[in-house]
Amino acid sequence: MQSISSPSKKYMWCILLTIGLLVFVLNIDYTAVNLALFPISKEIKCDLNTLQWLLSGYVLVWGAVVVPAGRLADFYGRKKILILGIVIFMIGSLLTGVGHHISILIGGRILQGVGAAIFTAPGMSLIFTSAPPSHQGLAMGIISSLGGFGLATGPTFAGWMIKEFGWRCIFYINIPLSLLVIVVIFYLTPKEQTPPSTLKIDKVSASLLSCGLGSFMFSLNQIEVWGIWNPWFWGILTLGFTLLIIFTLRDKYSSSQIFPYTLLKNKAFMSIGGATFGTSYCFSLILVMIALYLQNTLKMSSLETGCIFLAMTLSVGLLSPIGGKLVDLIEIRLPLIIAFVILFSALLTMSFFSEITSFTAIIVALFLAGLGIGFIFPAMNTAMFRTIEPSDINTGSAIFVMCAMLGNTFSIIVSTSLITIVGRHQLTILMNQYNISLTSVEHERLIKSLNKAEHTAQQLSGFSEDKIPHLLQLIDLAFLSGMRVTLWIGMVFTILAASLIYKFLRLKPANHPSQHAITSF
C-alpha cells in the first residue's frame, strides 16, 4: 500500500464529483418522495398510514443494515461492495418506478434502503482515502456541501419534475445516474488488493444485528401510532433488545466479528459517535419543530417555509467545504467546540420564537444553525476516519451513519411526544387562566388538534363559534411551550456533544508531523 501522492488530486476530484453527484441526487430524491406522497395516493389508492412506509421503510432498513454492510466492505473490498450497493439501489429505483401496487412500491423502497446502506460506508471511505491527507477535510466538506445543496434545491427541483414528468420520474432518474457511477468506479479506481483478512462474515450475527436494530427502530417509529402502553410496542421493543443482546454475546467471541470491539475501547471514536448522535438530534429537531412553527404559528405556506429554510440548507452547503478545510489546517477540537457554541446559540435564539417573531430573527437563527451544522458534520466525519485503523474504516463509517440515523429517529420521537405532554399541560393552565370551561370530550378534541400537523378552525367544528379564535390562539401558545422545551433539550445535547469532543478527541491537523499518513488501497 502506497501513500497518496500529489498527482492523485485528479483522481480525488473525479471520485469526489462522481460520488458527490450521487449524494446530491439522493438528497433531492429523499425530498421528492415526501412531495410525491400526494400524487402517488391519487394513482395508487391507499391511506396515509400505508403511504408513510415509503419513507419509514427506506430509513428503517438503511439504519438496520448499514453496520453489517460496512463490515462486508472490510472483508471483501470496498470497490465490490460499493458497486453491489449501487446495483441493488438501482433495481429498487426501477421497481418503485414501474410499480402499480403499494406493496411493490414499498418493496422497491426497501431495496433502495438496502442498496443505500451497502454503498454508504465504502463510498464515504473511498472519498476519504482517495484524497491526500492535506485535502481530506476539504473532501468531506464538499460531500456535505453537495448534500446540503441537494436538500436546498430538492423541493423546487422535485416539484418541477413531478409536475412536468410525473412522480415516477423521481425514481427513474436514479437509474442512469447509478450506471454512470458504476462505470466511473469500475474503470477509474485501481484494482484492490485482497483484504488482509481471509475471514468470512458471520451471517447469523449479521442477521441478529440487522433484525435487532430493525425491530428496535420499528417500535420507536410506531410509538405515535400505537401509543406507549400498547403491548405491540413493548413486545417488538423487547424483541429488538433481546436480539441485540444475543448478537453481542455471539459476536464478542466470534472469529469474524461484525462489530470490532476495539472500536468500543477507542474513546476518540466513541466520542465522535456520541457527538454525531447529538448533532443529528438537533438537526432533525430544527427541521421538524421550526417547520411546524412556521406553518402553524406564523401561518406560512409550504413553499414559504421551504424558502425560509434555505437560510439553513444553503449555509450548510456553502460553508461545509470551508469547515472541512479548517480540519486539515488546525487542531480539530477548537473549531468543533466553536461550531457547537454556534449551534447552541441558534437553538437558544429559536427558544425565544413567538407569535410575533420577525422574519429577520428566524433567518438569522436558521443561518447560525446551518453554520454550526455545516462545520460539525464534515469535521467529525474526517475526524472519525482518522481515529480508526484502515482495516476498520468501512465499519467505522457505517457506525457513524448509524449514530446519525438513531439521532434523527430519537429526535422525532422525543420532540413530537414532548409537544403532546407539555402542550397538554400548558393548555390546561391557559384554559384555567382564561376561565374557559369545556366538557371532557371537547377537551380531548382540543388536545388532538394540538397534535395535528396543521391547526385550523375546521378541526374545532362543533365548538361555540365565539370560542374558536381564542382556542386556536391557546393551541398556538401551548405548541410554543412544547417547542421551547424540545429546543432546551437540543441545547443540552449540544453541551454534551461539545464536552465529549473536548475530553476525548485529540487530533492534530493532517499536515502536522505527528499525524500518520493515510494510505490508499
Side-chain angles (χ1 to χ4, degrees), residues 1-5 8 78 125-136 328 382-390 393 510 515-521:
M1 301 204 329
Q2 295 177 346
S3 298
I4 296 176
S5 59
S8 67
R78 80 192 75 186
S125 65
L126 177 60
I127 291 169
F128 183 81
T129 55
S130 67
S134 60
H135 287 71
Q136 286 162 348
D328 296 326
T382 305
M384 178 272 297
F385 283 118
R386 290 178 180 167
T387 60
I388 56 181
E389 296 296 327
I393 196 168
Q515 180 69 35
H516 295 298
I518 306 296
T519 58
S520 68
F521 52 80

Side-chain angles (χ1 to χ4, degrees), residues 49-64:
N49 286 335
T50 305
L51 275 176
Q52 66 94 17
W53 280 104
L54 293 175
L55 305 174
S56 299
Y58 177 77
V59 174
L60 288 174
V61 172
W62 193 347

Side-chain angles (χ1 to χ4, degrees), residues 3 13 37-38 71 92 148 177 293 301 307 343 367-368 371 378 404 440 466:
S3 298
W13 282 109
L37 291 182
F38 180 70
R71 202 55 173 161
L177 172 70
Y293 163 75
S301 68
C307 291
L343 179 57
F367 177 80
L368 286 174
L371 178 62
S440 59
D466 59 329

Side-chain angles (χ1 to χ4, degrees), residues 31 79 134 165 200 250 278 342 357 396 409 412 448 515:
T31 307
K79 184 174 180 178
S134 60
F165 306 105
K200 303 297 182 182
R250 177 186 174 88
I342 293 172
T357 301
T409 303
I412 295 172
K448 288 182 178 179
Q515 180 69 35

Side-chain angles (χ1 to χ4, degrees), residues 33-350:
V33 175
N34 284 275
L35 293 178
L37 291 182
F38 180 70
I40 289 175
S41 68
K42 292 177 67 177
E43 182 178 337
I44 311 289
K45 304 300 181 183
C46 58
D47 57 35
L48 185 60
N49 286 335
T50 305
L51 275 176
Q52 66 94 17
W53 280 104
L54 293 175
L55 305 174
S56 299
Y58 177 77
V59 174
L60 288 174
V61 172
W62 193 347
V65 177
V66 67
V67 174
R71 202 55 173 161
L72 276 174
D74 284 331
F75 283 164
Y76 301 112
R78 80 192 75 186
K79 184 174 180 178
K80 294 177 183 177
I81 301 303
L82 176 59
I83 293 176
L84 173 64
I86 297 173
V87 169
I88 294 175
F89 179 80
M90 183 172 61
I91 294 172
S93 299
L94 178 62
L95 186 62
T96 310
V98 302
H100 287 276
H101 191 275
I102 188 60
S103 59
I104 297 177
L105 268 67
I106 293 174
R109 286 290 286 169
I110 288 174
L111 271 181
Q112 281 189 305
V114 172
I118 291 175
F119 72 63
T120 296
M124 297 301 289
S125 65
L126 177 60
I127 291 169
F128 183 81
T129 55
S130 67
S134 60
H135 287 71
Q136 286 162 348
L138 176 62
M140 304 314 297
I142 291 174
I143 286 296
S144 297
S145 175
L146 290 169
F149 281 129
L151 289 174
T153 60
T156 303
F157 182 71
W160 172 78
M161 286 186 66
I162 293 171
K163 179 181 178 182
E164 295 295 327
F165 306 105
W167 61 267
R168 296 181 186 276
C169 72
I170 66 177
F171 300 107
Y172 290 145
I173 196 174
N174 295 328
I175 297 171
L177 172 70
S178 299
L179 289 172
L180 172 63
V181 175
I182 289 173
V183 169
V184 173
I185 296 300
F186 184 81
Y187 285 104
L188 184 64
T189 56
K191 184 178 180 179
E192 292 181 286
Q193 297 177 4
T194 303
S197 174
T198 58
L199 298 174
K200 303 297 182 182
I201 192 166
D202 187 331
K203 295 178 182 179
V204 175
S205 291
S207 299
L208 287 170
L209 177 59
S210 297
C211 292
L213 283 174
S215 300
F216 177 72
M217 294 177 67
F218 175 76
S219 63
L220 295 179
N221 183 73
Q222 290 294 102
I223 193 171
E224 289 296 315
V225 178
W226 290 338
I228 195 170
W229 303 117
N230 189 294
W232 277 104
F233 166 71
W234 287 106
I236 296 179
L237 185 68
T238 302
L239 174 64
F241 272 120
T242 302
L243 292 175
L244 289 175
I245 290 172
I246 295 173
F247 160 77
T248 302
L249 295 175
R250 177 186 174 88
D251 192 58
K252 186 175 182 180
Y253 300 103
S254 173
S255 58
S256 54
Q257 292 179 341
I258 300 294
F259 194 109
Y261 285 86
T262 53
L263 294 179
L264 290 176
K265 300 177 182 179
N266 186 332
K267 294 181 180 179
F269 176 81
M270 295 304 294
S271 70
I272 293 170
T276 299
F277 179 94
T279 306
S280 298
Y281 184 100
C282 294
F283 181 62
S284 185
L285 169 67
I286 293 170
L287 287 177
V288 174
M289 289 294 103
I290 302 306
L292 290 174
Y293 163 75
L294 293 174
Q295 294 178 85
N296 283 330
T297 306
L298 300 188
K299 313 303 179 187
M300 297 175 63
S301 68
S302 298
L303 179 59
E304 290 170 330
T305 300
C307 291
I308 291 291
F309 263 102
L310 288 175
M312 182 174 78
T313 52
L314 283 178
S315 62
V316 170
L318 291 170
L319 297 171
S320 289
I322 299 174
K325 187 59 182 175
L326 281 176
V327 179
D328 296 326
L329 300 175
I330 59 178
E331 203 272 333
I332 200 168
R333 281 192 308 163
L334 179 60
L336 265 177
I337 290 173
I338 291 174
F340 278 116
V341 170
I342 293 172
L343 179 57
F344 179 93
S345 302
L347 293 168
L348 178 62
T349 303
M350 293 173 188

